[in-house]
Amino acid sequence: MEWIKRVVLIALAIGLAACSQKPEPVKTETSASTAQELRDKRLQWWRAARFGMFIHWGLYSVAAGEWKGKQEPWIGEWIMKRDKIPVAEYATLAKQFNPVKFNADTWVGIARNAGMKYLTITAKHHDGFAMFGSKVSSYNVVDATPWHHDPMKDLSAACAKDGIRFCFYYSQAQDWHDPNGVGNDWDYDESKKDFHKYFEDLVKPQVKELLTNYGPIGLMWFDTPFKISKEESQELAAWVHRIQPETIVNGRIGNGAGDYEEMGDNQIPGGVVKRDWEVPATMNDTWGYKKADHNWKSTETIVRQLVDIVGKGGNYLLNVGPTGEGVIPQPSVERLAQIGEWMKVNGDSIYSTTPSPFPYEFDWGAITTKPGKIFLQIIDWPKHDFLLYGLKSKVNNAYLLADAQHTPLKITQNHDDAKNLDILRISLPAKAPDPYVSVVALEIDGQPQVNTALAQQPDHTITLPGFFADVHHSGSGEHLKMDNRGVATNWFNKDEWLSWDFEVSDPGTFAVTLLTSEKRQREKTDWEGGHIVRVEVGGKTVEGKVTNQGRLSNFRNLLWPDVVSKLGTITIEKPGMIHLALKPVKINSEKKIGFMLHAVRLTPVR
Ligand code: JFZ
């Protein structure tokens, strides 16, 4: 039962960290420029960077996901908490920390060659061990290890040399070592804790050390804002900005006090998000090194996640977990080198780009933009011509970034009056030039002009993502809420429903498929079905049961496979704007998962 409570608490905290962090202006600035202007100034490099390296490195890297012969099933850096390892016992790992193979230039070189523009490393994770020389607490890498060395000095110098922004992760709330930090209830009595004392005596002084002793710091990446009050979050942000006004603060500082929004770990939003945001992502299933975790994402997946996130307006912070010896695992090194090769050819479509003019996802890939340019990030290479509906801007030229000569591709553009449709057709070579993502650059005049309505695609399918649903609440109590991936959560009340308005160009009969999400809670993943639902389109209805007819996942929802349920068919008779309502008749909630709708798909039946 204890773990259920924890999962709920943590899920809540992640929800808080992920969802409720719309950046708020910093109120303590006194200069003539407004808080918004200062924030814009701080974020300038970060908005252009788009791709960064995350490094989780600490005493847990020595444990490597194993304690007293037992494998840790979850993320490696949580081993102390998961196994309730007493402070004194966990501290013995420090005596084994002697990373003789550590080389800051090697690490930073790997990031630079991958095309990453910033590097964020754990200065102190939840275990409370400072990975920098700290005068505030002797529980640090210089004083408590046989290595007696401050790696952050080396990394700061290496980053400065390579033009990479150096950034720190600092666990401001959870600290399982400090008697007053959040999270350790096996050594300490929770009721006797004085969080504010920990905040004043450890957090602020250590953050000051980090911002004073290592040169310019691009970003302070705070995390899991459990228990921290709004006043404390705001005070900490102001503390950072007072010491280094240009240092960005991420959303997980808590209580909306950050400069940008942090999405949930590995969670890619279902469409364009017009705010500043970032997705922290793992390369396997852990952040801190685990010797038994070999579940590596392919380079293909990583590059696709990158283009998708950037096309939706976000940054991708991709993690590596070096070993206790100071070595970045070879599978990570190989993938980063391959990503770097892709970036050398296609980086122009990533750095300093703006999001897609279409708010929704495409099955075939993603779109990024720059003044006068649209980049089609093609993942599914078409068998015949590539077709794009809804682009009103005139395309002056088109070429593949993989083609050094930029040979113009043959294009046609026309407006189909009967269907009221702008159609762009591009003739492409038979074979994709790149195995991961091939980029077509389109040259246009000015800003892209497009039809932003949800619309039927050239293959005649219609996808209605939860991300774009109109949510109709009912009654009191817990309401259905779309999470940042665009999945309905807390949908237990059958009187709550969803609707979409979308444009149909090729009417006909469609199979109606529901995609519902699995719920992932730590190492446990589960799904709930059996709901009876009704879909209403233009006076016609189709009703059915949500049953498991197979799972689907792609690079966007790798960790949350969709469960496919075919409801039946429906006929749309006329082209034009169509309204569709999805109304539950009965929702199952025995597992407390409920109806986690991800999308409705309409596929033409021939
Ligand atoms: C947090 C950390 O807890 C984690 O160790 C890592 O640093 C990551 C980048 O950020 O994310 C969490 C927090 C809580 C859970 C999962 C990830 N959780 O309890 O499911």
Side-chain angles (χ1 to χ4, degrees):
M1 281 303 106
E2 171 54 18
W3 73 268
I4 293 189
K5 249 194 296 173
R6 280 210 324 243
V7 165
V8 169
L9 263 175
I10 286 166
L12 269 172
I14 293 178
L16 270 176
C19 309
S20 61
Q21 308 255 335
K22 276 170 211 160
E24 244 177 41
V26 177
K27 296 191 185 70
T28 44
E29 307 286 352
T30 48
S31 76
S33 28
T34 67
Q36 187 56 41
E37 282 165 358
L38 288 167
R39 209 186 127 244
D40 278 338
K41 195 161 164 248
R42 254 178 232 134
L43 284 166
Q44 213 177 345
W45 69 263
W46 183 88
R47 286 174 179 153
R50 292 289 169 224
F51 189 30
M53 177 181 271
F54 212 173
I55 304 180
H56 277 69
W57 198 42
L59 297 185
Y60 42 82
S61 314
V62 177
E66 195 180 302
W67 192 252
K68 293 185 174 163
K70 190 180 139 273
Q71 294 295 314
E72 164 56 47
W74 200 46
I75 47 183
E77 72 283 3
W78 274 65
I79 198 162
M80 179 180 179
K81 169 110 179 168
R82 292 275 305 210
D83 285 10
K84 297 186 184 294
I85 303 171
V87 161
E89 228 180 284
Y90 187 83
T92 62
L93 287 171
K95 303 210 168 61
Q96 302 165 51
F97 193 82
N98 193 15
V100 288
K101 294 185 183 159
F102 169 77
N103 184 309
D105 291 323
T106 306
W107 287 14
V108 174
I110 290 169
R112 188 200 55 222
N113 285 330
M116 293 160 149
K117 301 294 187 190
Y118 57 116
L119 183 151
T120 306
I121 183 164
T122 47
K124 188 197 85 172
H125 204 266
H126 309 331
D127 66 358
F129 189 74
M131 289 295 289
F132 60 100
S134 174
K135 297 274 181 287
V136 186
S137 160
S138 61
Y139 195 52
N140 73 67
V141 66
V142 177
D143 295 321
T145 73
W147 197 35
H148 296 299
H149 187 84
D150 186 344
M152 302 306 176
K153 292 273 184 202
D154 308 332
L155 287 166
S156 158
C159 282
K161 192 178 64 166
D162 279 6
I164 305 272
R165 301 277 178 160
F166 187 46
C167 314
F168 287 124
Y169 172 109
Y170 187 90
S171 180
Q172 81 282 23
Q174 290 200 81
D175 189 311
W176 308 325
H177 182 80
D178 192 281
N180 293 305
V182 174
N184 184 337
D185 57 3
W186 57 97
D187 284 288
Y188 310 119
D189 182 347
E190 289 284 347
S191 67
K192 296 213 175 80
K193 284 185 180 178
D194 180 350
F195 180 78
H196 200 70
K197 180 171 162 54
Y198 154 78
F199 183 77
E200 288 294 332
D201 295 355
L202 191 74
V203 176
K204 281 168 64 183
Q206 283 199 331
V207 166
K208 186 173 180 184
E209 289 181 323
L210 291 170
L211 292 169
T212 311
N213 300 335
Y214 301 93
I217 300 304
L219 156 63
M220 285 299 296
W221 212 99
F222 297 105
D223 202 4
T224 60
F226 308 163
K227 278 199 191 163
I228 188 166
S229 69
K230 181 157 192 176
E231 290 68 35
E232 286 161 342
S233 294
Q234 287 174 344
E235 188 183 339
L236 187 55
W239 180 256
V240 169
H241 293 148
R242 199 173 309 135
I243 306 168
Q244 285 202 29
E246 307 255 301
T247 303
I248 301 166
V249 168
N250 80 328
R252 291 192 195 173
I253 194 168
N255 302 295
D259 289 316
Y260 70 85
E261 184 175 352
E262 204 69 62
M263 294 295 166
D265 303 348
N266 288 303
Q267 295 189 23
I268 302 177
V272 173
V273 176
K274 289 186 173 165
R275 300 187 291 270
D276 295 294
W277 56 275
E278 179 182 67
V279 178
T282 50
M283 247 195 235
N284 49 357
D285 291 324
T286 183
W287 304 90
Y289 177 67
K290 267 174 79 173
K291 62 180 168 206
D293 186 339
H294 305 294
N295 192 26
W296 301 99
K297 287 175 188 160
S298 64
T299 307
E300 176 181 287
T301 291
I302 297 169
V303 172
R304 291 173 179 186
Q305 290 193 338
L306 173 69
V307 301
D308 192 48
I309 287 168
V310 173
K312 289 167 178 172
N315 278 19
Y316 192 44
L317 185 63
L318 181 63
N319 184 70
V320 297
T323 65
E325 285 194 307
V327 177
I328 297 178
Q330 195 54 29
S332 296
V333 175
E334 283 164 14
R335 283 159 180 74
L336 290 166
Q338 291 171 328
I339 295 163
E341 291 305 312
W342 186 89
M343 284 295 238
K344 275 179 203 114
V345 176
N346 302 293
D348 191 35
S349 71
I350 299 296
Y351 307 121
S352 301
T353 57
T354 40
S356 169
F358 297 93
Y360 52 84
E361 279 175 0
F362 294 101
D363 286 345
W364 54 260
I367 295 181
T368 57
T369 53
K370 261 186 185 171
K373 274 199 183 132
I374 296 175
F375 298 103
L376 308 174
Q377 309 276 356
I378 304 180
I379 290 168
D380 285 338
W381 196 253
K383 286 198 185 65
H384 307 290
D385 291 348
F386 177 88
L387 283 170
L388 180 68
Y389 285 176
L391 177 65
K392 297 177 186 300
S393 308
K394 182 180 175 300
V395 177
N396 302 319
N397 189 19
Y399 54 87
L400 282 157
L401 291 191
D403 169 14
Q405 272 68 55
H406 289 185
T407 318
L409 296 166
K410 191 174 160 276
I411 53 171
T412 58
Q413 263 186 303
N414 69 294
H415 183 85
D416 184 321
D417 293 326
K419 295 177 179 173
N420 187 27
L421 201 59
D422 293 289
I423 304 173
L424 168 67
R425 183 182 290 272
I426 309 175
S427 302
L428 293 172
K431 211 178 149 291
D434 191 280
Y436 313 134
V437 180
S438 302
V439 186
V440 173
L442 306 179
E443 292 177 348
I444 56 165
D445 296 323
Q447 292 297 314
Q449 303 299 318
V450 306
N451 175 6
T452 56
L454 281 178
Q456 188 170 23
Q457 293 302 298
D459 64 0
H460 295 182
T461 61
I462 301 162
T463 303
L464 306 174
F467 197 82
F468 294 105
D470 291 318
V471 181
H472 306 270
H473 289 311
S474 171
S476 54
E478 211 176 9
H479 282 306
L480 176 181
K481 190 176 169 302
M482 286 297 165
D483 70 10
N484 54 31
R485 291 196 308 118
V487 172
T489 57
N490 295 320
W491 198 356
F492 304 117
N493 177 353
K494 71 164 180 51
D495 296 327
E496 301 198 303
W497 54 286
L498 304 178
S499 69
W500 293 263
D501 294 286
F502 56 97
E503 229 167 285
V504 170
S505 42
D506 291 272
T509 300
F510 297 84
V512 180
T513 307
L514 299 187
L515 300 178
T516 50
S517 182
E518 296 191 321
K519 186 169 181 127
R520 201 179 159 88
Q521 310 178 0
R522 301 215 171 180
E523 64 271 34
K524 194 170 144 283
T525 299
D526 205 356
W527 176 81
E528 185 152 42
H531 326 295
I532 313 285
V533 296
R534 185 158 62 216
V535 170
E536 304 174 354
V537 194
K540 301 202 177 85
T541 68
V542 51
E543 192 176 301
K545 194 181 205 163
V546 178
T547 57
N548 184 344
Q549 299 167 16
R551 285 183 167 75
L552 264 185
S553 79
N554 58 31
F555 69 93
R556 290 179 171 121
N557 65 338
L558 201 60
L559 301 181
W560 296 267
D562 284 327
V563 173
V564 179
S565 316
K566 289 206 179 91
L567 278 197
T569 59
I570 207 149
T571 300
I572 297 174
E573 263 142 30
K574 285 194 306 254
M577 282 305 281
I578 302 287
H579 181 80
L580 182 146
L582 174 65
K583 296 179 175 173
V585 177
K586 177 192 152 237
I587 293 183
N588 251 3
S589 59
E590 281 136 54
K591 295 187 187 174
K592 301 260 179 304
I593 295 172
F595 185 22
M596 293 188 64
L597 184 95
H598 188 194
V600 178
R601 279 214 186 220
L602 306 181
T603 0
V605 185
R606 278 168 234 278

